[in-house]
Amino acid sequence: MWWRSASFILDNSRNPVNDDVPPNSITISPPPLTDSTAAAAPLQNPNFNRNMSMSAYYQTRAAHHGVVTSDWLAQAQEAAAATGAVDGQDDGREGGGGTGGRAFGVIDEFNRWRKQPDLAEAVAAIRALAAVIGNSEANTMMELEIELKKASDSLKSWDTTSISLTAGCDLFMRYVTRTSALEYEDFNSAKSRLIERAEKFGEISCKARRIIAMLSQDFIFDGCTILVHGFSRVVLEVLKTAAQNKKLFRVFCTEGRPDRTGLRLSNELAKLDVPVKLLIDSAVAYTMEEVDMVFVGADGVVESGGIINMMGTYQIALVAHSMNKPVYVAAESYKFARLYPLDQKDMSPALRPIDFGVPIPSKVEVETSARDYTPPQYLTLLFTDLGVLTPSVVSDELIQLYL
Amino acid sequence: MPDIQVLVNDFVSKLRKRKTEGSDATARLTAELLRSVISQQPTTSGGAALIEAVKSVGEQLIAANPVELAVGNIVRQVLHIIRKEDFSLVTNAVGGLKLSAEANDKEIFKEENEQNPSTAAVDGRCLLRPPLLHALHDQLPYPATACQSSALGGDSSEGKAEKSARSWKLKHDVIKAVNELIEDLNTCHEPIAEQAVELIHHNEVILTLGRSRFVLEFLKAAKEKKRSFHVFIAEGAPKYQGHVLAKELSAKGLKTTVITDSAVFAMISRVNMVVLGVHAVMANGGVIAPVGSNMVALAAKKHAVPLVVVAAVHELCSLFPQNPEVSLNEIGSPSELLSFGEFSDSMDYGIGSSSPLLNVVNPVFDYVPPELVSLFVTDAGAYNPSYIYQLIADYYSPDDLTPQKPAS
């Protein structure tokens, strides 16, 4: 399996270089590659980069969720300065790629949207694709559709590890093209109709978090203890809304090693005056008897109704299930992905360097995968912008959508 | 409409005093009351006014006895009927202009929201429960319809007579649909009973608890189709409704055995199927059932005996259970357990101490989680617990799901 071997290469080539290479600069300006296959590809996929042991997925996460360090800031500034140059470069490439010298790159658009801290990756992708329609110079519906398809493919291949990016693109394509707009006689009205749809979809996706927060309020009762894992913007929104509604509850945050996203969540919650307790990841079973419900976010919701989320979610769900505690998932509908993982190794791994604090001998292998798959039988309910769903509803919906 | 208010107050006080109990009776009374509420509305009032009237009465009824979930269910179903009729009328009106054969109900729903600024407020609430994923895709308002709706607004002055005719027709249709609903309430056991033959086989042993009309009809229907089987009835303390059921079934020529509630676990290994009647079905597929049901369900689970719940659509509740053992429960009278004369001394406030030494707790309902239920047999077909959401989507409109919650 290609991915497996790649991850071995990455693991084996782990060296002190890691500390030198700025972990974020690649997000915006990928360094030139010597690898022939990667160089041949019109758009650079960060996953191919051998110098990096961190996948693009994780860079995004780090940028959005991670505890911001001073060196990260410095790199970000540096990268931002370099963006302009890269933009031109990308445009050139895109133009050369046969799109007719059009000075518009979907990836740039995507990256521009992505810089907004509260905008999810999938929504950024949706916005970027909407912009593709707007900037298109196509004269026929077919042409436009092909162009859109190309753009979404390039977005997807830009970061194959991000589930929500792929899912967002797929859903958008489905949403925009599955319409009787294609039957319109007049091309321009059909196009404006598509743009309208695209914007509407972006709007719905933006509101999703708010809707989820409202829906979940019924489930948070006074005096409850909620266990959360890692940092999720949806879960934060849910808890924030609950706090604003004057609910009395306390939160247990796991630390979320290795990127310590739990610390960030506990900071945010402390600002809201919610009683919060930090746990190390291994203390979940120890504290579970005090917990009333588990709340997690999701990177992707898959066709089985299970979720793919930050490493550790599976074991928390297992512990909660064995102690009869409900596990609630908050996930926006644009994270519904066309995947059906059969086991944990059945996904492309998103890799993540782990700092153990001490040097690890090169003979020791390190598991660097960043997420795991939680099967549906361990989940109680999913809060989505479509309503409160059981896992089987999710699979039903997904199958119907792509039928 | 003072006479209506009298009717409403009468029913509210009956609910409050628990004089009408049981999901069947309350559902029928609620539907009849709402029918008269609708018929009392002036004919010129449109859909929004009808919805408001039904809603305000509905809120009073729900508040009167929040545990009687059937009341809220019927109120929501009636609201759904009004909305549906309203939309279909609008469809017809728009359809003349648009000739859209492919327009489905959901599209119309959205269009309606667009056309009518007064329902814009509803739209905001509708956001809380937007339609599911695939519906979301088919549902966007077409720019063409937006133009048409403005056109409609333009020539509305011309068609005032037409408008009043439409609202008259709306009321007429709604009352007709509510009558159908009442008719369905009376006959809902028939489609349930029809499915009995497929589920009950020769020489099987069926266990049930207490008495429910649907269970009775279900078993009777299987017997009428010449199935010979044996029924175990747990008597269902403290009301002992099981005794009544045993009498009815043996009169029909069914082999019947009465057991105590505490003997369920001892007998379950001989049982092929457990059939339960319930008080309410929750949105997650869990059920609120007579006390003792959870014990039966757990025993069935332990011995891998399938548990079939027979329920009608009016028992289907759109709420998710939050701590249902307490919030959706009622405490019955202690006199059902202990006669006052015998235990009056110990139940009396003890001499010197402020609290009685002997307490009686008599909960009426049990919550059975969805994991323990194998199948729901309803008048709308047989469903897996996880597909209850589909029924809810069919019978209730998303607007009505959120506002009314049982006030605790």
Side-chain angles (χ1 to χ4, degrees):
Chain A
M1 245 203 281
W2 188 87
W3 284 112
R4 192 74 191 124
S5 59
S7 73
F8 277 130
I9 294 166
L10 293 174
D11 292 346
N12 295 341
S13 66
R14 270 191 96 249
N15 47 34
V17 173
N18 272 336
D19 303 327
D20 304 335
V21 174
N24 203 55
S25 62
I26 190 144
T27 317
I28 301 155
S29 59
L33 297 181
T34 48
D35 190 322
S36 62
T37 49
L43 291 161
Q44 284 171 354
N45 177 351
N47 303 321
F48 283 89
N49 193 340
R50 290 186 172 194
N51 292 330
M52 294 299 301
S53 54
M54 190 195 228
S55 65
Y57 158 74
Y58 238 93
Q59 294 159 32
T60 319
R61 265 191 87 87
H64 279 160
H65 310 159
V67 181
V68 178
T69 58
S70 57
D71 63 350
W72 181 86
L73 272 177
Q75 286 148 17
Q77 275 157 9
E78 191 185 305
T83 320
V86 177
D87 275 357
Q89 211 184 330
D90 271 348
D91 285 347
R93 264 195 230 125
E94 184 87 348
T99 41
R102 190 167 44 82
F104 178 80
V106 66
I107 305 279
D108 306 327
E109 185 70 25
F110 171 60
N111 277 329
R112 219 171 357 258
W113 279 107
R114 213 167 59 132
K115 279 190 206 120
Q116 294 188 14
D118 256 1
L119 206 62
E121 212 177 19
V123 182
I126 288 162
R127 297 281 196 197
L129 287 176
V132 168
I133 304 179
N135 285 305
S136 163
E137 284 161 11
N139 294 319
T140 63
M141 217 54 221
M142 204 58 183
E143 223 176 309
L144 183 64
E145 223 182 309
I146 292 169
E147 206 170 293
L148 204 56
K149 181 96 184 53
K150 239 184 223 160
S152 102
D153 282 349
S154 65
L155 260 185
K156 282 196 268 182
S157 64
W158 184 79
D159 180 1
T160 47
T161 49
S162 168
I163 295 163
S164 68
L165 178 63
T166 313
C169 287
D170 282 348
L171 279 172
F172 179 82
M173 291 299 287
R174 195 75 189 157
Y175 187 75
V176 165
T177 53
R178 201 179 103 153
T179 150
S180 37
L182 304 182
E183 291 151 20
Y184 271 66
E185 284 164 24
D186 179 14
F187 173 71
N188 281 331
S189 69
K191 191 173 154 187
S192 65
R193 169 83 191 287
L194 279 186
I195 293 171
E196 194 178 314
R197 283 202 145 214
E199 264 153 21
K200 183 91 185 173
F201 190 73
E203 230 171 76
I204 292 174
S205 308
C206 280
K207 279 185 202 146
R209 229 173 265 161
R210 202 64 230 127
I211 296 170
I212 292 169
M214 307 280 266
L215 282 176
S216 55
Q217 290 313 302
D218 289 349
F219 291 78
I220 297 174
F221 52 90
D222 275 343
C224 68
T225 305
I226 304 170
L227 177 76
V228 294
H229 181 54
F231 183 86
S232 150
R233 280 169 292 183
V234 201
V235 173
L236 178 60
E237 181 82 32
V238 167
L239 297 176
K240 206 189 259 177
T241 315
Q244 280 160 1
N245 289 352
K246 305 262 186 290
K247 300 229 163 144
L248 300 170
F249 60 98
R250 64 179 174 155
V251 179
F252 288 175
C253 277
T254 58
E255 180 193 8
R257 283 267 293 156
D259 51 348
R260 307 177 134 211
T261 48
L263 296 181
R264 159 113 189 257
L265 187 69
S266 60
N267 281 344
E268 298 279 343
L269 289 173
K271 277 186 221 158
L272 297 170
D273 281 338
V274 174
V276 54
K277 190 186 206 176
L278 262 178
L279 314 173
I280 52 173
D281 291 334
S282 38
V284 167
Y286 172 79
T287 48
M288 192 56 86
E289 60 183 23
E290 284 180 68
V291 169
D292 291 306
M293 66 189 79
V294 177
F295 241 105
V296 291
D299 288 339
V301 180
V302 296
E303 268 183 284
S304 62
I307 57 164
I308 294 173
N309 195 28
M310 183 186 162
M311 186 62 90
T313 307
Y314 184 29
Q315 64 192 24
I316 290 177
L318 277 175
V319 170
H321 184 77
S322 73
M323 295 204 187
N324 261 328
K325 309 286 181 185
V327 179
Y328 298 134
V329 178
E332 301 93 327
S333 63
Y334 54 72
K335 286 175 175 167
F336 287 15
R338 286 193 84 183
L339 295 169
Y340 203 113
L342 299 170
D343 58 26
Q344 299 297 331
K345 298 281 150 65
D346 204 14
M347 314 169 280
S348 57
L351 301 174
R352 164 87 185 130
I354 298 170
D355 179 18
F356 285 96
V358 288
I360 304 290
S362 60
K363 279 180 189 164
V364 175
E365 212 187 316
V366 176
E367 177 60 66
T368 51
S369 179
R371 354 174 248 222
D372 57 18
Y373 163 61
T374 309
Q377 64 264 37
Y378 303 115
L379 308 176
T380 313
L381 289 171
L382 293 110
F383 300 139
T384 73
D385 43 325
L386 309 172
V388 182
L389 311 176
T390 54
S392 62
V393 179
V394 172
S395 61
D396 219 45
E397 288 295 319
L398 271 169
I399 289 165
Q400 274 183 32
L401 180 65
Y402 289 108
L403 206 63
Chain B
M1 310 152 279
D3 43 339
I4 278 298
Q5 199 50 48
V6 169
L7 283 178
V8 170
N9 289 343
D10 192 34
F11 189 46
V12 162
S13 73
K14 265 190 193 160
L15 280 173
R16 208 171 268 152
K17 292 175 186 160
R18 308 295 190 257
K19 277 192 178 156
T20 46
E21 275 190 308
S23 47
D24 274 351
T26 45
R28 203 173 309 123
L29 288 172
T30 310
E32 280 162 7
L33 180 64
L34 290 179
R35 181 177 56 183
S36 39
V37 168
I38 293 167
S39 61
Q40 285 287 319
Q41 283 292 310
T43 20
T44 48
S45 59
L50 281 183
I51 288 173
E52 269 318 302
V54 170
K55 218 177 233 172
S56 69
V57 172
E59 271 159 16
Q60 293 174 49
L61 298 184
I62 292 169
N65 186 356
V67 177
E68 200 58 81
L69 295 162
V71 176
N73 299 341
I74 290 294
V75 171
R76 285 182 198 122
Q77 279 192 25
V78 170
L79 285 173
H80 181 63
I81 286 172
I82 299 174
R83 283 177 209 277
K84 221 168 58 184
E85 295 294 340
D86 203 10
F87 303 150
S88 74
L89 274 181
V90 174
T91 328
N92 292 340
V94 176
L97 289 168
K98 195 166 88 162
L99 284 173
S100 74
E102 43 121 39
N104 57 21
D105 270 2
K106 283 168 187 157
E107 272 171 19
I108 302 313
F109 169 58
K110 202 69 183 189
E111 284 168 22
E112 163 69 8
N113 278 346
E114 278 226 321
Q115 288 174 14
N116 193 347
S118 70
T119 48
V122 178
D123 206 8
R125 214 179 306 125
C126 157
L127 256 183
L128 284 178
R129 287 296 279 248
L132 298 184
L133 205 49
H134 62 280
L136 197 77
H137 290 245
D138 295 329
Q139 196 209 340
L140 278 181
Y142 295 173
T145 28
C147 319
Q148 269 162 17
S149 66
S150 61
L152 257 186
D155 59 28
S156 68
S157 54
E158 162 244 316
K160 199 173 179 188
E162 188 192 315
K163 203 180 158 200
S164 75
R166 205 210 288 178
S167 65
W168 181 84
K169 182 149 170 31
L170 168 72
K171 199 173 142 183
H172 175 79
D173 288 353
V174 166
I175 289 179
K176 212 166 95 183
V178 173
N179 276 335
E180 270 165 34
L181 174 71
I182 294 172
E183 185 60 28
D184 282 350
L185 285 177
N186 289 325
T187 57
C188 61
H189 57 88
E190 283 166 14
I192 295 177
E194 264 170 35
Q195 300 168 60
V197 212
E198 290 155 34
L199 294 165
I200 299 177
H201 306 104
H202 257 297
N203 294 327
E204 275 194 342
V205 178
I206 314 288
L207 180 114
T208 184
L209 173 87
R211 179 185 180 275
S212 137
R213 180 164 71 104
F214 297 131
V215 173
L216 174 67
E217 298 292 341
F218 190 76
L219 296 175
K220 256 163 62 180
K223 174 68 188 168
E224 276 156 20
K225 293 272 163 59
K226 305 282 177 244
R227 289 272 191 274
S228 85
F229 55 97
H230 199 126
V231 185
F232 282 178
I233 302 175
E235 57 186 0
K239 289 191 174 142
Y240 300 111
Q241 292 280 304
H243 297 172
V244 183
L245 181 68
K247 210 176 194 176
E248 285 164 332
L249 287 181
S250 56
K252 289 277 165 199
L254 264 169
K255 284 176 267 174
T256 311
T257 308
V258 174
I259 58 173
T260 58
D261 292 346
S262 38
V264 165
F265 206 94
M267 306 304 274
I268 198 83
S269 59
R270 295 170 53 190
V271 170
N272 297 97
M273 181 169 82
V274 177
V275 181
L276 284 183
V278 296
H279 173 68
V281 179
M282 308 309 288
N284 65 347
V287 295
I288 307 285
V291 69
S293 300
N294 198 19
M295 175 193 70
V296 175
L298 284 167
K301 186 76 176 175
K302 181 81 182 169
H303 284 264
V305 178
L307 175 86
V308 173
V309 165
V310 286
V313 168
H314 67 262
E315 287 168 339
L316 184 69
C317 178
S318 54
L319 298 171
F320 283 89
Q322 318 291 338
N323 196 9
E325 292 85 352
V326 179
S327 64
L328 292 174
N329 215 335
E330 263 194 307
I331 301 297
S333 154
S335 65
E336 284 173 348
L337 268 72
L338 302 177
S339 62
F340 184 70
E342 230 173 301
F343 292 89
S344 54
D345 289 346
S346 34
M347 283 165 96
D348 208 359
Y349 282 79
I351 305 130
S353 70
S354 57
S355 64
L357 296 170
L358 178 64
N359 287 303
V360 175
V361 179
N362 179 17
V364 176
F365 300 121
D366 243 358
Y367 172 68
V368 182
E371 302 88 74
L372 301 181
V373 181
S374 320
L375 190 71
F376 282 99
V377 175
T378 71
D379 43 343
Y383 287 88
N384 206 42
S386 55
Y387 282 85
I388 288 298
Y389 85 96
Q390 233 171 24
L391 276 179
I392 288 180
D394 287 349
Y395 284 92
Y396 305 113
S397 28
D399 296 339
D400 305 325
L401 299 187
T402 32
Q404 292 149 359
K405 266 169 270 166
S408 50

